[in-house]
Amino acid sequence: GFKLYISSMKAASVLIVLLLLGLYLGLSTSVEHENVEPNREEQNANSDSTTQSKPISLTAPLTTIIYADKPFDVDANSIRFACEIPKNVPKDLGLGVFLADDDGNWFMRMVSDDLVPGRNNIEIPIDVNDHWQSTPEHYEWNNYHLQLVRKFGVYFWSQEHNNTSINIYNISCVNKTVQKEQDALHIVNLQLQNVNESGKAHGFCGERWEMHFQLNKLPKNPYSTAQLQSDLHVQSQHGQFTIPGFFKEPQELVDGGDSERSIPNGPNVICHRFRPRQAGQYQLSLEVNCESETINVTLPDLIVTGDDWDDYVRNSQKDSRFFSIGKNNDTFYWPVGINLRSVNDALSKSALKTIYTPARGSLSYAAYFNRLERAGVNAIEIWMSSWNLAFEWIDDWPGYHGINGYHAAHTQQLDAILDAAYQHNIRVILSFRNHGQACTIRILQGNWHLNPMNTKNGGFISDAKQYFTHEQALRLQKDYHRYLCARYADHPSIMFWKLWSEVDLTAEGFPDYHQRRRSNATIRDWHADMSKHLQDLDIYDHPVATHWSTDYKLADPEIIKLATMDVGCLDAYHWDSLFRKSYLYNKLTNSMIHPRQGLNHLMKPIVVTEFGGSPFAAKPKKLLAEHRSGPWIGLVSGHGMSPFLWWYEWVDQNNYWQPYRAVQAFIQGEDLRGDKSRTVALSNSSETEVWTRAWVKPGCLLGYCLDKQWSHSGGNGKLHGNLQITFGEQIRAGSFSIEWWDASQGLIIKKHTLKHDGGRLTISAPDFRKHLALKCKRL
């Protein structure tokens, strides 16, 4: 329904364009004139569509549009119809045909011959090598866009006012067997960035270098690697590698007020992107496979200058439980952020009475990033969900074209989002798919009924479980990964790739979820295959992750153990039962150190990308307490990053950004890595009321004290005075610097030096409410 609305809005502008074009543009067609009406046999022979005449009243001087009764046949060679013209039509009456897709994009061709009174038999050829006028202007007439056409018809125009009735007969597609001599495949319009007078290209370390080209003939689906695959082979003193190419439909993103509009902007091209990290001379060669033909082209060398550069996030070589930036300097990176999975959240609106953030595409994200950077947030998660940034989905949603036909506006928006994120020092966890895409249970936000792979939508699999095993489904998923890697892997704002969000809630994983089982061989094999494929494509070595729902008990260690999997992602939702209260600090700490189900022993970053009460939120007081305490608990428990709260609109609309500033101030200059670094429980003099834990490494302790009741129920919290905290029984003698931090504000409230004689070390905490942080360092 929404597509019909969009199409009708675009059609209004098309009418005006048609009227103007009809005055100036005429192209050759086949027109025959008769003065007799065709007989019924001729009608049946010439058409599958309208066999009865359609009396049409002209709406001149407006354009008169007549749609065919049947959908367009993408294999058609021509459009054929007849029209009976009365004697009293305007002298300047013009005629044309049009093709249109479901998104309101049109192609038009005018009839150059004069229309004469009587019968006119018309056939207009359809050939991508001929010129058809497009609306919008830069929507390219090519073989791929022809495959997206769904409707066709004819139109009349005149400058004179006239409502004469015209009869239209048999608007139909004609599919003839036409033998055409094909030119050999070759490259046209090859463009390399920064080519100097000597013919060599020039690039700079840390900056994107790009090349693109067109082909003399484009396959029906250039997004399919079975039809088109381009590889840029690179060789230098630093080694050799291959950069995959991608088909690009350039779009101009325009602020439409309450939305972001995309307008085709320039020719469709095959593109390769490279961001060099080391200076040197790179030899380039291009290999293009298009259907049954292959071409190889030697390109000019690329000369790269500048200082060595590496600003990508990876698992740290110093301590694989954490992240670092850059291979050489190995700068410690403990991300602090929030789950910004889409522009707005229906669940937040119902659970927390938030207001929908206007869905303005990349413009909405850019506005978020302004606020996030000021708040100390340096990492987020974004979903490529059907309602947000996915490239594939059912083709009656705006911009989507079904299987293996990518959403051009979303591809451009993701470019803009990653650029804006990097400008604001924000890294992005990019989640390729959410569980709903292969989930059949509606109450779990299952959207399998809308998935284009579903046979009910014209796909090829009837069971959502086959998403993980069907050969064609796997091939298409690899096409998707290849495109994502080709277009975005060079971008340093990508923190890591996430293959699934809550994979255990898919049709394949849900039986395991229901029975609280962790292991699923089918899902494990899928991850082994897909992570290896992605790793082979990505020359920048971004970490690869996947994600399980609810809490750590459902994560499959065998998947995280895979050599090609780098990160384990969890939820930390929880509920009270009839018999006991559930506390966030237990969920987050046990995810690491639970004796049977903890994941710290895997020696990879374990991160929580969703938490905040139950999956349906909590009372605001409790949610606020968990929002404030969650990052601190994750820090002292050894998580690879700050846990990501789910309820981002609630945070944004209530200006609850301070917890991010607080924890960022505390960890500034700290490094959690080390062979002997670990989480430890600290005993205190009020164990029933206060939870204390620390992350320790030789010479340094980062501690946290939490009011248990406040963490569960929120509110003002109890005043805790003269709390005694014991660091250990056998602490070596020496002097220590101790800082006490207000954990809500991120400010030092007390600082002193302590001289210890050895043995048991107990210190007194300053009075506090809610929570308190501390640093203790050996001098």
Side-chain angles (χ1 to χ4, degrees):
F2 184 47
K3 269 207 173 182
L4 293 176
Y5 168 76
I6 295 294
S7 181
S8 65
M9 293 296 289
K10 289 187 177 180
S13 60
V14 170
L15 296 178
I16 299 173
V17 173
L18 291 174
L19 178 61
L20 296 174
L21 288 172
L23 300 176
Y24 301 107
L25 182 61
L27 297 174
S28 61
T29 59
S30 171
V31 181
E32 299 177 358
H33 308 301
E34 295 183 17
N35 290 315
V36 295
E37 182 175 329
N39 59 37
R40 180 59 54 85
E41 288 74 17
E42 182 181 356
Q43 290 181 8
N44 290 336
N46 289 342
S47 177
D48 306 346
S49 186
T50 310
T51 55
Q52 301 295 327
S53 65
K54 279 187 176 182
I56 303 298
S57 292
L58 294 179
T59 57
L62 299 177
T63 304
T64 307
I65 298 178
I66 305 98
Y67 283 90
D69 291 337
K70 287 191 175 182
F72 178 69
D73 179 358
V74 296
D75 295 318
N77 307 111
S78 62
I79 294 174
R80 180 185 296 169
F81 62 96
C83 59
E84 185 178 1
I85 306 297
K87 294 181 179 180
N88 59 339
V89 296
K91 292 182 180 180
D92 67 341
L93 182 66
L95 170 64
V97 297
F98 68 87
L99 311 174
D101 64 21
D102 284 336
D103 288 315
N105 301 303
W106 285 45
F107 296 110
M108 300 158 289
R109 187 164 182 178
M110 319 306 173
V111 177
S112 61
D113 304 66
D114 293 333
L115 295 173
V116 299
R119 169 74 180 275
N120 294 262
N121 293 323
I122 300 172
E123 185 169 346
I124 298 182
I126 301 171
D127 189 334
V128 293
N129 295 314
D130 293 336
H131 180 71
W132 285 61
Q133 181 68 36
S134 63
T135 298
E137 180 181 359
H138 293 292
Y139 190 69
E140 190 170 286
W141 171 243
N142 60 37
N143 206 10
Y144 172 61
H145 288 155
L146 180 59
Q147 306 307 305
L148 305 181
V149 170
R150 297 293 179 266
K151 295 167 285 190
F152 70 106
V154 301
Y155 60 91
F156 293 91
W157 75 90
S158 170
Q159 292 188 85
E160 300 178 19
H161 175 75
N162 196 293
N163 60 358
T164 300
S165 181
I166 296 176
N167 286 324
I168 301 292
Y169 301 90
N170 309 330
I171 307 175
S172 62
C173 293
V174 179
N175 194 339
K176 304 174 185 176
T177 301
V178 178
Q179 296 293 334
K180 289 188 177 181
E181 185 175 337
Q182 294 287 335
D183 292 336
L185 181 69
H186 61 269
I187 288 174
V188 295
N189 300 326
L190 175 65
Q191 299 287 329
L192 280 70
Q193 186 176 343
N194 298 333
V195 176
N196 58 25
E197 294 179 355
S198 66
K200 293 184 177 180
H202 188 71
F204 300 91
C205 289
E207 295 184 11
R208 173 182 285 167
W209 180 85
E210 188 167 301
M211 59 157 288
H212 62 258
F213 61 92
Q214 295 175 292
L215 296 171
N216 62 316
K217 48 187 176 181
L218 196 67
K220 290 182 177 180
N221 185 4
Y223 290 111
S224 169
T225 58
Q227 298 184 37
L228 174 64
Q229 181 169 316
S230 181
D231 291 298
L232 179 65
H233 302 298
V234 183
Q235 188 167 352
S236 75
Q237 65 268 39
H238 308 300
Q240 57 185 22
F241 49 88
T242 297
I243 301 172
F246 63 95
F247 179 65
K248 182 179 181 181
E249 301 176 77
Q251 305 284 303
E252 179 185 3
L253 300 178
V254 178
D255 188 345
D258 62 347
S259 64
E260 181 176 59
R261 295 186 293 113
S262 66
I263 302 172
N265 182 31
N268 295 175
V269 294
I270 298 138
C271 184
H272 290 266
R273 288 174 171 175
F274 175 44
R275 197 176 299 254
R277 286 165 278 175
Q278 294 174 291
Q281 184 165 339
Y282 294 79
Q283 289 82 45
L284 309 178
S285 62
L286 187 66
E287 180 182 355
V288 181
N289 293 280
C290 184
E291 297 181 312
S292 60
E293 296 180 84
T294 300
I295 52 175
N296 291 278
V297 179
T298 299
L299 301 175
D301 289 351
L302 172 64
I303 309 300
V304 175
T305 57
D307 296 331
D308 286 1
W309 171 95
D310 192 341
D311 198 32
Y312 296 104
V313 175
R314 301 185 186 89
N315 288 24
S316 173
Q317 295 178 354
K318 184 176 179 181
D319 187 339
S320 58
R321 296 171 296 176
F322 296 100
F323 297 107
S324 63
I325 296 178
K327 280 188 174 179
N328 297 325
N329 58 16
D330 204 29
T331 303
F332 176 67
Y333 175 59
W334 198 74
V336 175
I338 195 166
N339 195 313
L340 193 61
R341 51 93 171 169
S342 56
V343 171
N344 49 43
D345 181 11
L347 189 55
S348 177
K349 183 176 184 292
S350 61
L352 297 169
K353 310 305 179 187
T354 51
I355 300 169
Y356 275 139
T357 303
R360 301 178 67 241
S362 67
L363 298 171
S364 290
Y365 275 106
Y368 272 123
F369 295 158
N370 279 322
R371 301 190 291 275
L372 292 169
E373 184 181 28
R374 293 195 300 269
V377 170
N378 62 5
I380 61 169
E381 176 168 308
I382 292 177
W383 285 12
M384 299 187 70
S385 57
S386 57
W387 64 91
N388 193 44
L389 284 168
F391 294 171
E392 295 175 300
W393 202 237
I394 189 170
D395 62 5
D396 63 353
W397 284 35
Y400 287 110
H401 305 298
I403 302 169
N404 221 186
Y406 296 164
H407 195 305
H410 285 179
T411 64
Q412 194 75 48
Q413 285 175 331
L414 187 53
D415 271 323
I417 289 167
L418 294 177
D419 287 345
Y422 197 54
Q423 291 169 6
H424 291 281
N425 301 307
I426 293 171
R427 310 286 176 151
V428 176
I429 301 169
L430 191 62
S431 184
F432 289 175
R433 50 184 70 80
N434 60 298
H435 75 271
Q437 295 171 5
C439 176
T440 58
I441 303 171
R442 299 289 183 91
I443 196 172
L444 294 177
Q445 292 84 47
N447 290 313
W448 172 248
H449 62 290
L450 297 174
N451 193 308
M453 290 189 188
N454 192 331
T455 52
K456 293 182 178 179
N457 301 319
F460 51 87
I461 51 179
S462 58
D463 186 345
K465 292 182 179 181
Q466 291 179 288
Y467 190 94
F468 294 90
T469 57
H470 193 281
E471 183 178 354
Q472 186 177 356
L474 297 177
R475 180 182 61 78
L476 290 170
Q477 291 165 53
K478 288 181 177 179
D479 278 5
Y480 191 46
H481 294 172
R482 178 184 170 91
Y483 189 93
L484 287 164
C485 196
R487 185 156 185 168
Y488 309 106
D490 81 298
H491 212 301
S493 67
I494 296 288
M495 181 176 161
F496 59 77
W497 312 113
K498 184 193 277 192
L499 295 173
W500 275 101
S501 178
E502 300 183 325
V503 66
D504 52 298
L505 295 183
T506 62
E508 177 61 43
F510 189 68
D512 304 298
Y513 172 90
H514 185 66
Q515 298 176 30
R516 307 297 286 179
R517 294 185 312 198
R518 308 177 87 180
S519 181
N520 182 303
T522 299
I523 291 178
R524 185 165 60 248
D525 291 346
W526 183 93
H527 279 89
D529 183 27
M530 290 298 168
S531 59
K532 175 65 165 60
H533 178 256
L534 189 58
Q535 193 177 74
D536 290 344
L537 289 168
D538 185 359
I539 66 171
Y540 307 97
D541 301 322
H542 294 288
V544 180
T546 201
H547 176 215
W548 292 269
S549 74
T550 307
D551 61 27
Y552 63 96
K553 301 184 188 72
L554 291 173
D556 185 351
E558 297 305 315
I559 292 178
I560 303 175
K561 282 181 184 177
L562 292 169
T564 51
M565 292 294 297
D566 303 291
V567 185
C569 299
L570 317 171
D571 289 350
Y573 293 120
H574 59 115
W575 305 260
D576 290 342
S577 70
L578 293 174
F579 306 104
R580 61 183 299 181
K581 292 181 178 179
S582 178
Y583 293 90
L584 178 64
Y585 60 79
N586 282 332
K587 289 287 181 182
L588 294 177
T589 304
N590 285 337
S591 66
M592 305 301 292
I593 64 168
H594 189 280
R596 289 183 296 103
Q597 297 167 306
L599 301 168
N600 186 52
H601 69 281
L602 299 175
M603 297 303 294
K604 294 181 180 181
I606 304 300
V607 302
V608 167
T609 56
E610 292 185 34
F611 85 98
S614 78
F616 306 100
K619 293 181 179 179
K621 287 184 179 181
K622 176 177 181 175
L623 199 59
L624 188 57
E626 293 200 352
H627 172 46
R628 291 175 174 174
S629 61
W632 296 98
I633 300 168
L635 175 67
V636 298
S637 299
H639 284 231
M641 68 182 191
S642 154
F644 281 11
L645 190 80
W646 175 262
W647 311 103
Y648 60 92
E649 283 187 295
W650 173 77
V651 172
D652 190 41
Q653 293 171 21
N654 290 283
N655 197 27
Y656 291 150
W657 294 113
Q658 186 56 34
Y660 303 104
R661 299 186 187 98
V663 75
Q664 279 284 26
F666 184 82
I667 65 170
Q668 186 68 34
E670 302 295 341
D671 190 335
L672 306 184
R673 298 171 297 175
D675 292 341
K676 297 182 179 179
S677 62
R678 66 198 187 281
T679 179
V680 298
L682 303 179
S683 59
N684 68 75
S685 57
S686 185
E687 294 284 354
T688 60
E689 295 183 334
V690 179
W691 181 83
T692 49
R693 181 165 285 274
W695 184 258
V696 298
K697 55 186 293 186
C700 179
L701 177 148
L702 305 179
Y704 182 59
C705 309
L706 175 64
D707 181 324
K708 293 181 178 180
Q709 183 58 36
W710 172 75
S711 74
H712 179 271
S713 304
N716 293 323
K718 178 183 176 180
L719 179 64
H720 298 277
N722 197 33
L723 182 74
Q724 302 296 302
I725 303 173
T726 299
F727 287 2
E729 300 296 328
Q730 298 295 326
I731 304 298
R732 183 165 53 89
S735 296
F736 296 87
S737 168
I738 298 177
E739 295 176 356
W740 296 97
W741 286 67
D742 181 332
S744 291
Q745 298 300 317
L747 300 173
I748 299 173
I749 57 176
K750 185 179 180 181
K751 185 175 182 178
H752 60 95
T753 300
L754 172 69
K755 186 175 182 180
H756 177 56
D757 295 329
R760 181 184 178 93
L761 177 58
T762 299
I763 61 174
S764 297
D767 296 351
F768 73 95
R769 292 181 186 273
K770 303 176 183 176
H771 56 166
L772 181 72
L774 69 111
K775 291 184 181 183
C776 179
K777 296 186 178 182
R778 187 179 290 274
L779 296 175

